[in-house]
Amino acid sequence: MSTETSHKPVPHTAALQEPVPQGTAPLRTLPPAGAPAAVGPVPPAPTVRPRDKKRVGPAVFLTCLVAAGLLGGGVASGVAALRPDAPAAASTTAQAAISPVIVNNTESVNAVTAAAQKASPSVVTISVSSGSSGGTGSGIILDTEGHILTNTHVVTLDGAAADAAVEVRTNDGQVYKATIVGTDPQSDLAVIKIDAGGLTPATLGDSGAVNVGDTAIAIGAPLGLSGTVTDGIVSAVNRTIETASSATSDGSSQGGSSQNPFGSQQGLSASAAQDSISINVIQTDAAINPGNSGGALVNAQGEIIGVNVAIASTGSSSSSSTQGGNIGVGFSIPINQAKRVAEEIISTGKATHGQLGLSVQDKTSGSSSDFTAGAEVASVTSGSAADKAGLKAGDVVTGLAGRTVTDASELTAAAREQAAGSTVKITFQRDGQEQTADITLDAAS
């Protein structure tokens, strides 16, 4: 199987347990939050052993970023709220009722309030359970037929469950059972479906028109607190992050029945990042926390511009399961990419992604420099898209489909962002001379 693999070593998951060097930030997906409870006095804990709410979402990025995944476990106060082993019976705050956007003074409504009022009815809270594990994330209503966009790591409990039970609570407090239409671990996106009337589909914006400095509003269920609204700005666009794949361990990933798209993990070299994915994201300083995964990143017009997926963390812990909260660096999958993937999943149950047929490594800008200046081709698979486009070992790819490529991960992300069969322009350097070519992408396995 031909893939755009990087020869840059991929950190093992255990690396998140080690002290983080100054200046680096571990990334992880947001875990699901514990299930919500009624407002008012908390009833006595049941005598039966509470279900272990696993925190879903530790992710591994080459840049040591931490993905904003599901929040599992009961949410109490303080740092214990993020512990995956916190008993569900201890949950108080996270089990509050739905809190729609409330306007007490119509004379002082600002842009954030208006945008949140428009988008919030289209954002749901998702509860996922499998055996004794479970967690909570968020989702975005796509249409009146009940299709909801979320993250793969939400509905698979970070890849631990291929056929989890899923429930959805809408903005008006109604709860519905959901079915998984399909998952796409290569983009960490998934579509589920509920049978409900009166749904409010989200208004999708154009993520390609997003500017650094634009208002960014995150809506979801951080720490299990449904209907939470936070705001900030878009702090970067076209950022590439690398995180652990949420493909299920038994190989089922598309609606619980397809082959693991990352292939067997037996005998993989450290450079073959088969157990990780590279994705392009929008970066924001709007507060995003565990439980926000799958929720909406919204612009000032109330349009969805991204699907919240990850956060950065400066902390580390002796426990690999401990997950930190927001430090002002969050990531969302651009809605233009998410829309394409969702439409393919709804239509066929799965999504396609482009593949070049290259083995690449980071091209450093100097012998002792940490900066990279492209993706250097180590080998080309015979008959592949790259081979047909005339690429050769030693070429340095610097752009694909309009995206600048400064390292191997960015090249992989740029290729996977395209649908299989797409024809795009590739820019590369050969013997110091810049060249371009049209390349028709193969289908990633």
Side-chain angles (χ1 to χ4, degrees), residues 183-329:
T183 62
D184 181 44
Q186 295 199 46
S187 65
D188 200 3
L189 292 168
V191 175
I192 60 177
K193 188 176 187 297
I194 60 175
D195 184 9
L199 297 176
T200 303
T203 300
L204 305 185
D206 179 7
S207 54
V210 170
N211 296 321
V212 171
D214 284 351
T215 296
I217 303 160
I219 305 176
L223 312 183
L225 302 171
S226 300
T228 295
V229 177
T230 59
D231 79 304
I233 64 166
V234 172
S235 52
V237 295
N238 299 336
R239 178 79 73 204
T240 297
I241 59 175
E242 188 162 346
T243 184
S245 162
S246 291
T248 51
S249 59
D250 66 355
S252 56
S253 59
Q254 303 285 355
S257 61
S258 300
Q259 183 179 2
N260 184 339
F262 297 94
S264 170
Q265 295 187 16
Q266 300 296 322
L268 289 178
S269 67
S271 62
Q274 301 275 347
D275 58 349
S276 64
I277 59 172
S278 297
I279 53 177
N280 287 319
V281 293
I282 297 169
Q283 181 178 308
T284 180
D285 68 350
I288 296 175
N289 283 285
N292 268 122
S293 275
L297 189 69
V298 179
N299 63 19
Q301 289 71 48
E303 300 168 334
I304 312 298
I305 56 172
V307 181
N308 297 326
V309 66
I311 57 175
S313 172
T314 58
S316 62
S317 171
S318 59
S319 170
S320 63
S321 61
T322 299
Q323 179 150 0
N326 170 70
I327 60 167
V329 184

Side-chain angles (χ1 to χ4, degrees), residues 425-437:
K425 190 173 294 296
I426 188 168
T427 304
F428 58 96
Q429 293 180 351
R430 178 179 295 169
D431 299 326
Q433 301 296 315
E434 183 173 281
Q435 301 186 33
T436 61

Side-chain angles (χ1 to χ4, degrees), residues 15-16 18 20-21 24-28 59 61 63-67 311-316 327 331:
L16 292 179
E18 301 298 329
V20 180
T24 62
L27 278 181
R28 65 186 147 188
F61 292 112
T63 55
C64 291
L65 294 171
V66 180
I311 57 175
S313 172
T314 58
S316 62
I327 60 167
F331 306 96

Side-chain angles (χ1 to χ4, degrees), residues 7-94:
H7 292 288
K8 183 177 181 180
V10 177
H12 188 273
T13 307
L16 292 179
Q17 304 177 37
E18 301 298 329
V20 180
Q22 185 175 4
T24 62
L27 278 181
R28 65 186 147 188
T29 51
L30 296 176
V39 177
V42 180
T47 55
V48 295
R49 182 179 181 274
R51 183 173 65 193
D52 178 22
K53 281 289 192 177
K54 173 186 175 185
R55 180 191 67 198
V56 182
V60 180
F61 292 112
L62 289 181
T63 55
C64 291
L65 294 171
V66 180
L70 303 168
L71 172 67
V75 177
S77 60
V79 294
L82 294 181
R83 291 182 57 85
D85 55 351
S91 178
T92 56
T93 321

